[in-house]
Amino acid sequence: MTSVEEPARSGERIRDAARTRAEILDVATQEFARAGYDGARVDEIAARTRTTKRMIYYYFGGKEQLFTAVLERAYGVIREAEQELDVDHLDPVAAIRRLAELTFDHHEQHPDFIRLVSIENIHEAHHIAGSEKLGKIGSPALDVIRRILASGQESGLFTADVDAVDLHAMISSFCFFRVSNRHTFGALFGRDLLDGAQRAHYRAMLGDMVIAYLTAERSAG
Amino acid sequence: MTSVEEPARSGERIRDAARTRAEILDVATQEFARAGYDGARVDEIAARTRTTKRMIYYYFGGKEQLFTAVLERAYGVIREAEQELDVDHLDPVAAIRRLAELTFDHHEQHPDFIRLVSIENIHEAHHIAGSEKLGKIGSPALDVIRRILASGQESGLFTADVDAVDLHAMISSFCFFRVSNRHTFGALFGRDLLDGAQRAHYRAMLGDMVIAYLTAERSAG
DNA sequence: TCACTAATGTACGAACTAGTACGTTAGCTA
DNA sequence: TAGCTAACGTACTAGTTCGTACATTAGTGA
């Protein structure tokens, strides 16, 4: 998530609006993810920046808008990753597995994003609701899922009555929970869901689960 | 979660340590779940109680310990529900489905619990780690899962290599996500995962998913 | 019924925290 | 090169918030 390189010739004061803005966003992302919205300190964010608190208000307006900007950028990152996904050359089963793995990998590599989303849910998604950028853009992954599902259902490989948004929820829930609930799960069950030695195991488990669901014959009743 | 009845003969000042303590816990549960740990206000909790802030410190010591006590009670509630589960008379498939439904129902009916767990994860489960009660008690559900899995694997119904903790994670992730991420998911995809009209659909989907995973033939490689 | 303690209430303070008024300067452009 | 504005810094404040010192009373046991 770090987007600020170091052109820092120490001692000099260089003016660079884009760099200052990006640096604030970087630090704010860490601070909000670390402590939650109310736990995060504007002064702390400023202190870990090469600029001052004044600039946060200059560029973003306030703590609330800063958090919204942080969310917007974090969601932008996963959208980009989803957009780069190319599964058109794969059969439906391999394509779904590939998509699930992308979500698995992204969530694992961006724990700050997971924490921000958890925090935003505590606040009932008010910031998303108030953001023009995040309004109803949806997700590139959804389009991919729709295409794969249509293809798989047409060929009879997949059960016919599966919805794209539902499948996205199924995949996301497993990937999200693994990161978001790592600490309570670890404390209560003595198992670290992010243990590197178990990574391949859980990654395969997710794919197996989704494929099993999609290819199973549904029992009546 | 409300555990305080009303013996309130108005006007009189009755001393009742247990009632006062329970009332504080009730209100604190709501307030912490509403606003997060740092967003919650001790003064606000006190104001919504028939007693004063002084009593919070008298009975619990401080905000931190109060939150721990809230967590301890919330986890106690789900443990009780799991303990009442009786699936010994069911075949493995029906038993697993019953267990999944119990988790589904409990999480849906206790959104405050879900929020508290999300909050505790933001704080890296420090309160659980510092709690004697919550230390390593585990979960009654795990024992149930172990028994059902053994039975199902023995009879050849279930795939042999499934672990109880993993299966618990799988079931929990879906049920948890549905409640915890309701707001961001709804804002981004325009679908309310807690919509009553879809309840049966998602409840069945969870069972189908778990059973499909347990009964599927695993593809090699 | 007396005395003692658990339980409760009041009033206050020290520290923190989001936000701002006001002043300064780098660097571009005419 | 003069001047203008975007970019930046300092110092401060008003309001909040956790926590506590101190005072009081209900109820119980001797």
Side-chain angles (χ1 to χ4, degrees):
Chain A
M1 191 70 82
T2 306
S3 55
V4 174
E5 312 90 49
E6 294 275 342
R9 300 186 292 272
S10 64
E12 297 179 36
R13 301 281 154 99
I14 311 143
R15 296 196 167 193
D16 187 339
R19 196 210 59 181
T20 300
R21 201 176 186 284
E23 189 175 2
I24 291 171
L25 268 184
D26 284 345
V27 176
T29 297
Q30 294 170 29
E31 174 70 0
F32 279 124
R34 182 187 68 80
Y37 178 78
D38 289 288
R41 299 288 163 238
V42 177
D43 283 298
E44 176 65 20
I45 294 170
R48 286 167 50 199
T49 297
R50 268 172 297 185
T51 184
T52 65
K53 184 166 59 160
R54 177 71 184 78
M55 290 297 97
I56 293 175
Y57 290 90
Y58 183 72
Y59 283 113
F60 297 96
K63 188 180 183 181
E64 205 96 24
Q65 295 99 309
L66 177 60
F67 184 70
T68 300
V70 164
L71 269 184
E72 285 170 351
R73 204 180 54 161
Y75 271 110
V77 171
I78 191 169
R79 284 216 191 89
E80 281 173 31
E82 288 171 350
Q83 252 154 7
E84 283 173 20
L85 191 66
D86 176 27
V87 296
D88 288 341
H89 61 291
L90 297 172
D91 68 282
V93 168
I96 283 288
R97 196 178 279 271
R98 182 75 204 85
L99 171 82
E101 288 170 350
L102 178 92
T103 305
F104 184 93
D105 294 346
H106 184 276
H107 283 23
E108 181 178 66
Q109 286 159 23
H110 297 85
D112 277 359
F113 168 69
I114 303 300
R115 295 170 68 87
L116 291 170
V117 174
S118 288
I119 291 160
E120 176 65 354
N121 272 290
I122 293 299
H123 296 279
E124 295 174 330
H126 287 323
H127 304 91
I128 291 181
S131 162
E132 294 171 11
K133 288 187 190 173
L134 291 171
K136 286 279 177 189
I137 309 184
S139 154
L142 264 190
D143 300 326
V144 177
I145 292 178
R146 283 200 190 93
R147 271 184 290 146
I148 305 173
L149 273 185
S151 160
Q153 285 164 346
E154 197 175 358
S155 68
L157 267 172
F158 291 169
T159 313
D161 67 341
V162 176
D163 174 76
V165 175
D166 289 349
L167 193 69
H168 180 62
M170 180 185 287
I171 294 169
S172 294
S173 65
F174 186 84
C175 300
F176 196 96
F177 182 92
R178 179 165 166 268
V179 180
S180 70
N181 286 44
R182 172 191 195 180
H183 297 104
T184 54
F185 199 91
L188 292 173
F189 303 112
R191 179 168 310 184
D192 181 5
L193 293 173
L194 287 181
D195 177 15
Q198 295 285 310
R199 180 176 187 276
H201 166 67
Y202 284 122
R203 201 160 177 263
M205 182 172 155
L206 165 67
D208 291 345
M209 175 187 83
V210 175
I211 298 304
Y213 174 75
L214 283 174
T215 58
E217 286 151 37
R218 218 57 87 229
S219 61
Chain B
M1 190 70 84
T2 306
S3 54
V4 174
E5 314 90 49
E6 293 277 342
R9 300 185 292 273
S10 65
E12 298 181 36
R13 301 281 154 100
I14 312 143
R15 299 196 164 191
D16 187 338
R19 197 209 60 181
T20 301
R21 203 176 184 282
E23 190 176 2
I24 292 172
L25 268 184
D26 283 345
V27 176
T29 297
Q30 293 170 28
E31 173 70 0
F32 279 123
R34 182 188 67 80
Y37 178 78
D38 289 288
R41 299 288 164 241
V42 176
D43 283 296
E44 175 66 21
I45 294 170
R48 287 166 51 199
T49 297
R50 268 172 296 185
T51 183
T52 65
K53 184 167 55 159
R54 178 69 185 79
M55 290 298 96
I56 293 175
Y57 290 89
Y58 182 73
Y59 283 113
F60 296 97
K63 188 181 182 180
E64 205 95 25
Q65 296 99 307
L66 176 59
F67 183 70
T68 300
V70 164
L71 269 184
E72 285 170 348
R73 205 181 53 162
Y75 272 110
V77 171
I78 191 170
R79 284 218 191 87
E80 280 173 31
E82 289 171 350
Q83 252 154 6
E84 283 174 20
L85 191 66
D86 176 26
V87 295
D88 287 342
H89 60 291
L90 297 173
D91 68 283
V93 168
I96 283 289
R97 195 178 279 271
R98 183 73 205 85
L99 171 81
E101 288 171 351
L102 177 92
T103 305
F104 184 93
D105 294 346
H106 184 276
H107 283 23
E108 182 179 65
Q109 286 159 23
H110 296 85
D112 277 359
F113 169 69
I114 303 299
R115 296 170 68 88
L116 291 170
V117 174
S118 288
I119 291 160
E120 176 66 353
N121 272 291
I122 294 299
H123 296 280
E124 296 175 328
H126 285 324
H127 304 91
I128 291 180
S131 163
E132 293 171 13
K133 287 186 190 172
L134 291 170
K136 287 277 178 190
I137 308 183
S139 153
L142 264 190
D143 300 326
V144 177
I145 292 179
R146 283 201 190 93
R147 270 184 290 147
I148 305 174
L149 273 185
S151 159
Q153 285 164 346
E154 196 176 359
S155 67
L157 267 173
F158 292 168
T159 313
D161 67 340
V162 177
D163 174 76
V165 175
D166 289 349
L167 193 70
H168 181 62
M170 180 185 287
I171 294 170
S172 294
S173 66
F174 185 84
C175 299
F176 195 96
F177 182 92
R178 178 164 167 268
V179 180
S180 70
N181 286 44
R182 171 191 195 179
H183 296 104
T184 55
F185 200 91
L188 292 173
F189 303 112
R191 180 169 308 184
D192 181 5
L193 293 172
L194 287 181
D195 176 15
Q198 294 285 310
R199 180 175 188 276
H201 166 67
Y202 283 122
R203 200 159 178 265
M205 182 174 155
L206 165 67
D208 290 345
M209 176 187 84
V210 175
I211 298 303
Y213 174 75
L214 283 174
T215 59
E217 286 152 35
R218 218 56 90 229
S219 61

